[in-house]
Amino acid sequence: MGFFDFLFGNKTRKIEDFRNRGAVIVDVRSKGEYESGAIPGSKNIPLQNISSKMGEIKSWDKPVITCCASGMRSASAAGILRTNGVEAMNGGGWFSLSQKL
């Protein structure tokens, strides 16, 4: 286990585990940001809409990997989802996450 794995956990391994269990990738950037480039197959739910879409997200009955531009909004979104009983992780910036998939 490397130093950063020790500090932050092995994100790549966790992403792989989530994906193996059918995780949905939720991109929490604005519609305009999402349309300028995104992970194929991801769902665009802007951060400010996460709470109002909670019923829909829960109905998927799947783990969720959140992403945004840098990882800040996706961290907030993952926290909101976990607080509401959804298994979620912050995937960080969408482009970086796409390289791990």
Side-chain angles (χ1 to χ4, degrees), residues 17-88:
D17 171 56
F18 269 51
R19 293 289 286 168
N20 287 340
R21 294 186 291 124
V24 176
I25 297 171
V26 174
D27 190 319
V28 299
R29 295 176 297 153
S30 70
K31 183 179 181 194
E33 287 175 294
Y34 183 80
E35 289 174 350
S36 71
I39 295 172
S42 63
K43 297 186 181 290
N44 179 223
I45 303 175
L47 177 58
Q48 64 269 23
N49 298 340
I50 288 288
S51 294
S52 66
K53 296 283 191 176
M54 195 60 64
E56 176 186 340
I57 295 167
K58 284 183 170 187
S59 75
W60 301 336
D61 198 28
K62 296 186 182 293
V64 173
I65 301 171
T66 60
C67 65
C68 63
S70 68
M72 296 300 291
R73 288 175 284 181
S74 56
S76 294
I80 292 166
L81 292 168
R82 285 192 298 269
T83 298
N84 284 276
V86 175
E87 185 179 9

